[in-house]
Amino acid sequence: MTFGKKTAFAALVAASALVFAGCAGGGDVIEEGSGGGSGSGDGEMYIALVSKGFQHQFWQAVKKGAEQKAEELGVKITFEGPAAETEIAGQLEMLTAAIDKNPDAIAYAALDPEACVAPLEQAKSKDIPVVYFDAPCNGDVGLSLSATDSKVAGALAAEHMAELIGGEGQVAIVGHSQINSTGVERRDGFVEKIEADYPDIEIVDIQYGDGDHLKSADIAKTLIAAHPDLKGIYGTNEGSAIGVVNAVNELGLEKGKITIVGFDSGAAQINAIKDGTMAGAITQDPIGIGEQVVQAAYDAANGKEVDEFYDTGSYWYDKTNIEDPKIAAVLYE
């Protein structure tokens, strides 16, 4: 991670208030502020969060954490994101609209790290502090990133995959993105760990299903057909992993014939682990991410120093520990 510590922008004084409705992907209604100050126009701080998505359970858990922290701090927030994590243009529209509302701070999770550079430069020109969650934008605008260290998490997935298949054999990856940082780092952490420590394991292919269940299932079926000796498949997010689960079920394969390692949580993955279709998965702490990014945005808006990177952690879970209170606390359905 490139994200030490930075000093936040000084907060400015607010002015007008207008009602603004959330974009189509999902969000709340909030009063418009005047930039870098009391964003709600009534003396109450306003933070705008623009996520990679809105419908997935992961993002709903992030939203829950953000709302909890906002209530604790006594600030207003909006949380919105596109319906699908491929809708880069839609997300950028939401970001531009958030900047136009002149909030006290913006929290942003980048789908495309390059496409967001210009809009966020506009936020900087308006003295609106910007913090990131889950994935940063390129450039030098962002003050902080609250996220899982995705390369560490990918390496953790590789360690468990290697153990589960006996340290040898063929595996494949169904990724969710080769553009945004979480997809790239979860993939690279896995690949680098296998290449460094497990010379008898061959990664035969890496394909990308955009986190879509149907597309990921089709990819998994193709991988299984093309590599009859395939021992394992790693899915880099919830949609990817459930696509693989659906593929093996549709093919009528015996549970455990293909070792499936997933990422994230959700009811479908939890159930697949419990019934033996999936070996296990890496979970993040999405509620913790939501809480931390709102805290960072709040501190930045108040001109306080914020850390450049807050690692919210990653955890392996399977049948043996899924009921452990420490694991249960970071799972979501």
Side-chain angles (χ1 to χ4, degrees):
M1 290 290 175
T2 58
F3 272 77
K5 290 192 176 181
K6 291 185 181 178
T7 302
F9 294 103
L12 302 177
V13 179
S16 61
L18 296 170
V19 175
F20 182 89
C23 295
D28 306 312
V29 177
I30 196 73
E31 293 179 334
E32 183 180 346
S34 62
S38 182
S40 66
D42 60 4
E44 186 172 22
M45 182 180 288
Y46 163 46
I47 299 167
L49 289 88
V50 180
S51 170
K52 288 183 184 177
F54 190 79
Q55 295 177 340
H56 277 194
Q57 293 163 325
F58 177 84
W59 298 116
Q60 286 298 308
V62 174
K63 180 174 182 282
K64 179 180 178 181
E67 289 171 341
Q68 289 175 177
K69 179 58 69 172
E71 183 177 359
E72 176 189 325
L73 295 173
V75 301
K76 290 184 178 180
I77 67 167
T78 49
F79 188 104
E80 55 192 348
E85 293 183 34
T86 54
E87 297 177 10
I88 296 169
Q91 191 201 36
L92 292 174
E93 289 176 5
M94 292 177 179
L95 175 59
T96 300
I99 294 167
D100 288 344
K101 286 184 283 184
N102 296 308
D104 293 275
I106 290 173
Y108 185 66
L111 280 174
D112 185 324
E114 290 294 340
C116 51
V117 171
L120 289 178
E121 286 291 342
Q122 181 187 1
K124 183 177 181 179
S125 73
K126 297 175 76 173
D127 288 336
I128 302 172
V130 175
V131 296
Y132 300 128
F133 61 105
D134 192 67
C137 183
N138 290 344
D140 61 357
V141 174
L143 301 170
S144 177
L145 171 64
S146 301
T148 303
D149 189 323
S150 292
K151 289 195 78 171
V152 169
L156 183 60
E159 290 176 3
H160 285 278
M161 175 68 83
E163 181 181 352
L164 288 160
I165 66 172
E168 61 181 9
Q170 296 181 341
V171 299
I173 300 173
V174 177
H176 66 280
S177 176
Q178 52 186 325
I179 297 173
N180 74 62
S181 64
T182 59
V184 171
E185 291 174 3
R186 292 177 195 176
R187 176 201 67 199
D188 289 353
F190 185 93
V191 171
E192 290 169 10
K193 186 66 174 177
I194 293 294
E195 291 179 346
D197 293 348
Y198 305 101
D200 295 326
I201 296 177
E202 178 189 5
I203 300 173
V204 294
D205 204 353
I206 304 173
Q207 297 290 331
Y208 301 90
D210 298 327
D212 180 81
H213 292 184
L214 293 175
K215 188 173 180 181
S216 298
D218 288 341
I219 288 170
K221 290 176 187 176
T222 301
L223 289 169
I224 292 167
H227 304 281
D229 296 325
L230 194 66
K231 281 191 171 183
I233 302 178
Y234 165 50
T236 64
N237 77 345
E238 182 269 342
S240 306
I242 293 307
V244 178
V245 168
N246 291 343
V248 301
N249 286 335
E250 290 165 16
L251 292 172
L253 298 182
E254 180 184 351
K255 294 183 189 302
K257 179 176 175 57
I258 300 289
T259 297
I260 304 170
V261 169
F263 208 108
D264 293 325
S265 185
Q269 285 198 94
I270 290 171
N271 291 337
I273 289 170
K274 287 181 175 179
D275 73 19
T277 307
M278 180 182 288
I282 305 297
T283 186
Q284 306 178 76
D285 182 2
I287 292 175
I289 291 172
E291 291 175 338
Q292 182 57 64
V293 75
V294 169
Q295 182 68 62
Y298 176 83
D299 290 343
N302 282 309
K304 295 181 180 179
E305 191 176 71
V306 293
D307 288 354
E308 289 186 349
F309 180 55
Y310 296 97
D311 183 2
T312 52
S314 54
Y315 313 86
W316 169 260
Y317 68 104
D318 57 20
K319 272 186 176 182
T320 68
N321 69 350
I322 201 167
E323 304 294 343
D324 186 300
K326 291 181 180 179
I327 295 298
V330 294
L331 298 180
Y332 54 92
E333 296 191 359

